[in-house]
Structure formats: structure tokens, C-alpha cells
Amino acid sequence: MKLMNFFNYYILAILFCLTFTECETDNYEAPDCTIEGKIFDHLNQPFQVNQGASIIRIREVSWAKDSTMYTANRTLKVQQDGTYRNTKIFKGTYRLLPYSGAFFPYDDVNSDNDDAGELVEINGTATQDFTVTPYLTIEWVQKPVVDSEGYLNCSVKFTRNQKQGYEMPDLRQGKLHVSRSVNAGAADGSLFTAPFNITNDMEGQELTFRTDIPVKYTGIDYWIRVSMNCQTAAGKPETNYPGMGADNFTTIEKIHVP
């Protein structure tokens, strides 16, 4: 009984101390700065990506005890047209690097090491644009239409891009994306199920895409785009760049099916 009473008093004493111990309040201000900008291709056109692509690496370099320390890398999400904006950034100095997308390495000197990319001072609202060289430029030849049988048809051609100092990868596959949402990455796979193989010698040719079945709904809008990707060139492992296998895209086209 005495042991039990002692145990109860011990527990009460701990609870008493926890209750009345002064707690320090976290009064550090929330991040309220903004970083925004655009990614352009080498032709000064908006770089087309998947919605929410994580292809901008950001790392704070001002929050460190010495030059050998830094905060961990994070990523900034990019919209379909290459624009990005984050309104919850702490004031400070950052390194920003386009990385792991369907483009040749951005920083020819530093590659993807700690000093790669652009040094940006963020205080209030800062803007940083980038220009990248995509592996492919994909252009509409015939924009999407629905034929008399209800099938959706379109055609494109691609150009392989060259960046000085780098070798071009090989072509891999192409795919048609048909969606009922402006986010054409969320495609209806039943309309066009399988990508088809494409090769380097198809460059400049008109490539036709057609849905596997007629469109399922009428009186609505569809959003369409075509994607193509590359792979490491045969026998050339040095062309296995970061982001190899990511898709290049056409612009998004909207059609109304009556």
C-alpha cells in the first residue's frame, strides 16, 4: 500500500511539474516572400511541361553557420506553360536550378553541383526566368478535329534540338493525351491507350494520331496535347542526362464536340 501511495504521489508530482513548467512560444514569423518566373525554350517560347512538374531545384545558401553548410534542396512546382510561383518563401539568398526535365543540362559549367544555377536574393517578391534547350520541339501540323465517325485526329512533327557541347539522345515514344480537363496530363487512357515507338529518322515527318475509339461524350470540351520522349543514345551513356525519359509536349488545344 505504501509503495502504491508513493507511486501515485510520484506521478502527481510529474504532472504538476509539466503543468506549470513555462513553455517557450514559437514566435518566428511565417515565410511571406514570393519567388516567381517563367521557363522559356531556346526559341523564346513558353516551355511546355506536365502540370505540377518539379523541375526547379531551390536551395537556401544564406541560412548557414559557414560556407560548408546549407539547407536541403527543395523543388518548385511548374505549371503547364512553364510559369511558377511560390508565395511562402523565407527572406534570404537562394540557388535556383532547372533540373531533371526534358532538356539539356542548364548549367554548362557547374552541372548539378552545389554552385549550379542562379543566385537569387529573395526579399518581398523576386522574379527569376530561365531559358532551357528541350530535347525536342513538337509542332502541330493538323490541330485536333473530330471526324464524321467520332474519332479524334491530329498530326504533329518534331525537331531534335542540339545544344553546344552536348550530344543528342535518341527518340523513344509518342503519345496522344485527350482529357476532359484543362490539365491534359490527366488523360483518358481508354481513348488512346498505348504510346507508339518513334525513331530519329522520323524527324520533320508528319506523324498522325487517332483515338482508338470514338470520343465517348458529346456537347462538351476536350483538351488535347501530344507528348514525346527520348532515351539515352545507343552506345553513348554520356547522353543519360538528368531527367532523361521526361516528356516534351505540344501546346494544349481545346476543341468542342457538338
Side-chain angles (χ1 to χ4, degrees):
M1 178 64 77
K2 290 183 179 181
L3 181 61
M4 182 62 70
N5 287 337
F6 175 79
F7 181 76
N8 289 338
Y9 286 134
Y10 180 73
I11 295 298
L12 289 173
I14 292 176
L15 293 174
F16 180 84
C17 291
L18 291 175
T19 302
F20 291 96
T21 298
E22 182 179 358
C23 297
E24 184 179 352
T25 302
D26 182 3
N27 59 359
Y28 199 87
E29 293 185 4
D32 60 355
C33 294
T34 296
I35 180 64
E36 60 187 9
K38 300 177 182 178
I39 305 179
F40 297 96
D41 67 16
H42 63 308
L43 302 175
N44 203 35
Q45 297 299 310
F47 181 60
Q48 304 293 319
V49 300
N50 259 332
Q51 177 72 16
S54 300
I55 58 174
I56 297 180
R57 192 182 78 182
I58 180 171
R59 176 169 58 84
E60 186 176 1
V61 298
S62 55
W63 191 83
K65 294 179 180 179
D66 55 59
S67 60
T68 64
M69 299 179 65
Y70 54 86
T71 55
N73 293 328
R74 297 181 292 155
T75 56
L76 299 175
K77 301 291 187 180
V78 180
Q79 298 185 56
Q80 291 168 328
D81 61 354
T83 59
Y84 72 95
R85 189 169 191 263
N86 189 307
T87 62
K88 300 297 181 183
I89 299 291
F90 285 108
K91 174 183 175 181
T93 305
Y94 293 80
R95 284 277 182 190
L96 272 69
L97 174 70
Y99 181 73
S100 198
F103 47 81
F104 292 95
Y106 176 83
D107 192 326
D108 300 333
V109 176
N110 297 301
S111 185
D112 62 344
N113 65 28
D114 292 344
D115 294 326
E118 306 296 337
L119 195 63
V120 181
E121 189 72 30
I122 302 178
N123 183 6
T125 297
T127 301
Q128 178 63 53
D129 296 337
F130 302 95
T131 298
V132 300
T133 303
Y135 300 133
L136 306 171
T137 298
I138 312 171
E139 303 172 271
W140 294 107
V141 177
Q142 176 189 301
K143 291 188 176 181
V145 295
V146 175
D147 63 25
S148 59
E149 296 179 312
Y151 289 87
L152 189 146
N153 301 267
C154 62
S155 64
V156 301
K157 64 178 181 179
F158 70 85
T159 302
R160 302 175 73 205
N161 297 319
Q162 176 81 61
K163 184 178 181 181
Q164 186 174 2
Y166 298 90
E167 293 196 53
M168 292 185 288
D170 289 338
L171 268 293
R172 186 185 180 196
Q173 292 179 325
K175 187 170 184 178
L176 177 64
H177 301 258
V178 183
S179 176
R180 293 180 60 194
S181 165
V182 68
N183 177 13
D188 186 338
S190 66
L191 292 175
F192 192 86
T193 55
F196 70 85
N197 295 330
I198 46 180
T199 56
N200 299 344
D201 57 7
M202 293 178 178
E203 181 177 4
Q205 298 179 19
E206 182 176 359
L207 304 177
T208 300
F209 292 79
R210 188 173 191 252
T211 52
D212 296 337
I213 59 175
V215 293
K216 295 183 292 184
Y217 306 101
T218 58
I220 64 171
D221 295 328
Y222 286 91
W223 284 263
I224 299 96
R225 72 195 316 197
V226 171
S227 69
M228 295 181 181
N229 57 32
C230 294
Q231 59 189 339
T232 304
K236 296 182 178 179
E238 65 273 14
T239 62
N240 187 22
Y241 307 118
M244 182 54 57
D247 289 325
N248 289 120
F249 292 92
T250 62
T251 56
I252 297 175
E253 295 294 323
K254 183 178 78 170
I255 63 170
H256 181 76
V257 179

